[in-house]
Amino acid sequence: MNKITEKEALLRLTSLCARGEHCEYEMQEKMHRWELTDDEQARVMQYLTKGKFVDDERYARAFVADKVKYGKWGRRKIEQALWQKRIADDIRRAALDDVADEEYIAVLQPLLRAKRRSIKAASDYEMNMKLTRFAMGRGFTTDVIRRCMDIPEE
């Protein structure tokens, strides 16, 4: 990418942050690609955080809510995605703890019902194993999966 000035980077990033939630790591990655110096990056980040354009805690809460509601992700998958975005452990834990197990169950039950209709299995054991593997791939924890496995077929 072409090198841009500090002022231009600041304008681009404030505009981007005004349109949606972003974390500090995403902003730093963009500035790194734009070849800003460390000092320039620090000044821009300071402006963005002081002006509340970037707030990792607010970002984490929005990210978790969106991934549960729209992405139908489980706790483990969301936790890993936040870790990849370099969100601090305490912020990550607090955002994830805001979502009760009942919310994950409400998301997982319809997914398992739909998946059950499309799976071919020779036995109940095989069916449950396939459903468990599917749910774990979506990032749901074993305790939530166990609570959902007793769902009746429709």
Side-chain angles (χ1 to χ4, degrees):
M1 184 106 195
N2 296 336
K3 183 169 174 47
I4 65 173
T5 66
E6 181 179 347
K7 188 174 181 178
E8 190 177 352
L10 186 62
L11 288 172
R12 285 186 189 186
L13 294 177
T14 53
S15 173
L16 183 67
C17 290
R19 288 190 304 251
E21 290 294 338
H22 295 279
C23 64
E24 287 182 27
Y25 177 71
E26 290 173 339
M27 300 296 101
Q28 289 169 341
E29 284 295 300
K30 286 188 180 301
M31 289 187 286
H32 180 72
R33 273 187 267 132
W34 294 335
E35 300 174 5
L36 266 65
T37 66
D38 290 343
D39 290 340
E40 291 172 329
Q41 287 184 30
R43 284 192 297 271
V44 170
M45 280 310 302
Q46 183 180 19
Y47 179 84
L48 291 174
T49 52
K50 271 189 174 178
K52 296 287 186 192
F53 286 99
V54 174
D55 183 351
D56 278 354
E57 188 172 344
R58 188 179 63 214
Y59 172 80
R61 291 184 192 289
F63 186 87
V64 169
D66 284 354
K67 295 303 177 186
V68 170
K69 186 175 180 180
Y70 302 113
K72 313 257 187 265
W73 285 11
R75 181 182 178 98
R76 297 291 303 140
K77 190 170 183 175
I78 296 169
E79 186 175 19
Q80 186 166 5
L82 288 172
W83 178 81
Q84 287 177 326
K85 299 224 180 237
R86 313 282 198 281
I87 302 297
D89 286 344
D90 56 330
I91 294 172
R92 203 168 54 227
R93 249 183 259 111
L96 287 165
D97 289 345
D98 283 350
V99 181
D101 281 353
E102 286 70 30
E103 289 183 59
Y104 290 118
I105 290 169
V107 167
L108 182 57
Q109 280 181 335
L111 286 174
L112 289 178
R113 281 192 188 105
K115 188 69 174 173
R116 182 177 294 229
R117 286 192 287 272
S118 68
I119 291 178
K120 291 180 178 55
S123 66
D124 284 345
Y125 175 78
E126 186 181 348
M127 172 68 75
N128 286 339
M129 291 310 298
K130 287 182 177 185
L131 289 173
T132 300
R133 229 181 346 256
F134 166 75
M136 289 182 97
R138 288 296 205 130
F140 291 94
T141 57
T142 53
D143 58 318
V144 170
I145 295 170
R146 269 193 221 112
R147 288 172 65 184
C148 290
M149 290 306 282
D150 300 326
I151 54 175
E153 292 190 37
E154 293 179 351

